[in-house]
Amino acid sequence: MIWNPEKECASREELHRLQSERLVNIVKYTYDNVKFYHERMDACGVKPSDIRSIDDIGMLPFMTKQDLRDYYPTETFAAPMSEIVRFHASSGTTGKPIVAGYTRNDLDNWSEGVARCLTAYGLSKHDIIQISYGYGLFTGGLGAHEGATKVGCSVLPASSGNTSKQLLLMKDLGVTALCCTPSYALFLAESLHSTPGFSPDQMNLKVGIFGAEPWSENMRAELEDKLGIKAYDIYGLTEVSGPGVGGECEYQDGTHIWEDMFYPEIIDPNTCRPLDYGQTGELVFTTLLKEGMPVIRYRTRDLTHLNADRCRCGRTMVRMGKIMGRTDDMLIVRGVNVFPSQIESVILEFAECSGQYLITIDRINNNDTFQLDLELRPDCYSDNMSRMENLKKEIVGRLASVIGLKCDLHIVEPGNIERSCGKAKHVADLRKI
Ligand code: DLL
């Protein structure tokens, strides 16, 4: 099923026309209402009247996370406070949070994006959806909630945490769809298998809706197997709206970006030069309809590529590859660039591994150390030292051949690595402390 066939399946010509019309409007609107954009555009010598179609987007300056911090909390808002009906804020590990403000129309468009995703995953008013993203400043909970309500699903606003109650309600209500971070889904799956009185076959789950952090294809396979579901990706970020900037369709072959609302570009993060379809670089978004806090050419720091090939599902909107990580999540260890998601992908090639891991990087005597703590599935963990040593050798060898780095691997007892109910922390980089 397709929620909004008129938009999701519009011809590329129609989409181009709509994007052009919307870009012209949003550029004029932000120039007139946001001092930051006015000054930036003046500094680049660009006037709103220079922008006549979406093809002119390259003339506009970029915006960065630092700009949003510099104009904290609301100086980049374009609508008056009397029109703002909601705030969210992204946590940000360092410095000030980024505050986003939404008008009534922004909330409607945001839930439209989520509704398109949920419908693409096959959900309808006949589904019971458990939303285990955190409710509050994080956009995950309320964002998914409003989209699911729009579709007419029966919504269980479980929020994150209290895992045993989550499992109980999932079972007793016959929940069909679970919405949370992939790391929390893994924790729920482990708990489902290990808690007396629960088993996967008592559940009515069919669909998992996972996002808010990078996760590999191997993690998808792991979650689908452990929970007996089809697991779909959902993407978004606070600065652009929240979850539902794009989502996968039944073919699970890339995330369709709702391009009539969020215009994507890929640039080289070092030179800011636009890259072609298929090339990996930094994802940049322009919100074509946002009123509260529009962003123009916002640099997300997320690394991925776009695919313009027509999808079998009939949607015409481009598809984005899995997010490899963020430019600021990339680890440089002994001069080698590596993303935690690459390590996750290798680990999960081994059926013995549970998917729980922690990477610890330090610098001792001017040399980087790279430790990997790894949990095995409880039924694979053993105190048979030689079996464990052989497995360790295999994993270390495979990692070295894929990422080009030798790690100090520690197999730890199941349950030893801290679980997360939200976004997981897979890396402790002690060099930064
Ligand atoms: O994480 C919004 C969201 C909530 C998306 C629930 C999906 C589901 P922020 O907290 O602002 O917003 O973090 C945004 O999270 O720039 C990516 O780095 C990462 N991210 C979000 N979705 C995905 C995904 C929400 N599907 C940042 N895959 C983004 C990989 C993702 N990374």
Side-chain angles (χ1 to χ4, degrees):
M1 279 284 291
I2 296 181
W3 177 257
N4 187 341
E6 188 197 329
K7 292 284 180 331
E8 293 173 64
C9 305
S11 68
R12 293 302 299 179
E13 295 71 35
E14 171 56 15
L15 195 57
H16 184 273
R17 194 199 58 72
L18 194 64
Q19 289 171 330
S20 298
E21 179 189 301
R22 290 179 172 178
L23 181 70
V24 169
N25 290 340
I26 203 77
V27 168
K28 179 161 179 356
Y29 172 71
T30 47
Y31 186 82
D32 290 346
N33 292 291
V34 184
K35 193 164 148 260
F36 164 82
Y37 281 112
H38 198 105
E39 289 175 358
R40 277 287 164 93
M41 283 173 60
D42 282 354
C44 298
V46 188
K47 290 270 168 293
S49 57
D50 296 330
I51 306 299
R52 276 178 247 122
S53 93
I54 197 77
D55 302 329
D56 297 325
I57 199 162
M59 294 161 74
L60 295 163
F62 290 103
M63 183 193 220
T64 63
K65 201 173 273 283
Q66 189 56 45
D67 293 326
L68 287 174
R69 294 219 167 94
D70 291 345
Y71 287 78
Y72 171 86
T74 60
E75 268 188 83
T76 60
F77 284 18
M81 204 52 84
S82 55
E83 297 303 312
I84 299 292
V85 298
R86 173 89 66 78
F87 295 110
H88 281 282
S90 78
S91 50
T93 41
T94 49
K96 292 174 188 161
I98 283 165
V99 179
Y102 304 75
T103 65
R104 188 63 254 169
N105 285 337
D106 291 340
L107 293 187
D108 284 347
N109 289 327
W110 179 10
S111 55
E112 157 84 18
V114 177
R116 289 184 193 178
C117 296
L118 300 185
T119 310
Y121 310 144
L123 302 191
S124 69
K125 63 188 241 187
H126 302 294
D127 282 283
I128 303 176
I129 183 169
Q130 178 159 345
I131 298 179
S132 306
Y133 285 119
Y135 279 62
L137 290 178
F138 179 50
T139 53
L142 283 163
H145 185 106
E146 294 212 347
T149 305
K150 189 170 249 178
V151 170
C153 302
S154 313
V155 183
L156 176 66
S159 198
S160 53
N162 207 344
T163 302
S164 51
K165 193 187 268 177
Q166 300 250 4
L167 290 179
L168 185 74
L169 290 171
M170 190 186 285
K171 173 165 83 84
D172 291 346
L173 288 173
V175 166
T176 56
L178 170 67
C179 211
C180 61
T181 59
S183 17
Y184 192 45
L186 188 64
F187 182 25
L188 280 167
E190 287 174 344
S191 309
L192 177 60
H193 286 260
S194 65
T195 310
F198 286 104
S199 72
D201 55 7
Q202 298 169 319
M203 299 291 173
N204 200 22
L205 269 186
K206 294 179 180 65
V207 168
I209 301 153
F210 305 136
E213 62 185 4
W215 55 303
S216 57
E217 282 300 334
N218 286 343
M219 180 61 87
R220 187 201 307 267
E222 183 76 16
L223 292 172
E224 291 193 335
D225 178 48
K226 279 194 165 136
L227 288 168
I229 54 171
K230 266 190 100 171
Y232 295 97
D233 209 337
I234 187 164
Y235 173 81
L237 63 164
T238 313
E239 299 89 316
V240 171
S241 68
V245 169
E248 286 181 320
C249 62
E250 64 265 38
Y251 294 105
Q252 297 175 305
D253 187 18
T255 293
H256 288 280
I257 300 290
W258 310 130
E259 285 180 277
D260 56 323
M261 300 195 274
F262 313 108
Y263 185 77
E265 295 173 85
I266 300 284
I267 62 164
D268 178 324
N270 299 315
T271 62
C272 291
R273 204 172 46 83
L275 297 178
D276 281 337
Y277 288 125
Q279 290 184 293
T280 297
E282 181 178 348
L283 182 62
V284 169
F285 274 111
T286 298
T287 55
L288 297 174
L289 286 178
K290 279 276 284 295
E291 298 172 340
M293 194 185 88
V295 292
I296 292 180
R297 305 197 88 197
Y298 180 71
R299 295 185 56 176
T300 63
R301 303 186 188 179
D302 290 329
L303 292 171
T304 184
H305 66 272
L306 295 176
N307 173 3
D309 295 346
R310 199 50 78 81
C311 183
R312 286 170 287 166
C313 72
R315 290 175 185 81
T316 47
M317 309 231 164
V318 292
R319 281 171 287 159
M320 175 180 93
K322 270 209 166 292
I323 304 279
M324 287 172 63
R326 296 161 63 107
T327 45
D328 43 353
D329 281 348
M330 188 179 76
L331 297 165
I332 305 180
V333 184
R334 297 178 212 131
V336 176
N337 299 347
V338 52
F339 285 100
S341 58
Q342 290 173 291
I343 295 174
E344 173 185 295
S345 187
V346 172
I347 292 169
L348 286 172
E349 286 175 14
F350 292 83
E352 294 89 341
C353 294
S354 71
Q356 301 289 357
Y357 64 98
L358 177 71
I359 301 160
T360 307
I361 313 288
D362 202 352
R363 182 164 290 145
I364 296 172
N365 298 332
N366 281 328
N367 280 322
D368 288 338
T369 59
F370 171 22
Q371 179 177 323
L372 179 61
D373 289 0
L374 196 62
E375 279 185 24
L376 302 185
R377 292 166 183 259
D379 52 324
C380 298
Y381 183 76
S382 119
D383 39 22
N384 176 334
M385 291 308 271
S386 77
R387 230 178 88 195
M388 291 295 103
E389 281 310 313
N390 285 344
L391 180 64
K392 264 171 82 168
K393 258 192 220 141
E394 261 188 72
I395 299 175
V396 171
R398 177 76 185 135
L399 269 170
S401 75
V402 175
I403 63 170
L405 271 176
K406 204 154 177 253
C407 69
D408 178 17
L409 181 65
H410 294 226
I411 291 183
V412 298
E413 262 185 62
N416 261 22
I417 293 173
E418 200 183 322
R419 303 306 195 246
S420 162
C421 296
K423 301 190 190 227
K425 195 172 170 299
H426 288 302
V427 181
D429 193 343
L430 307 178
R431 298 170 301 184
K432 291 184 182 158
I433 296 173

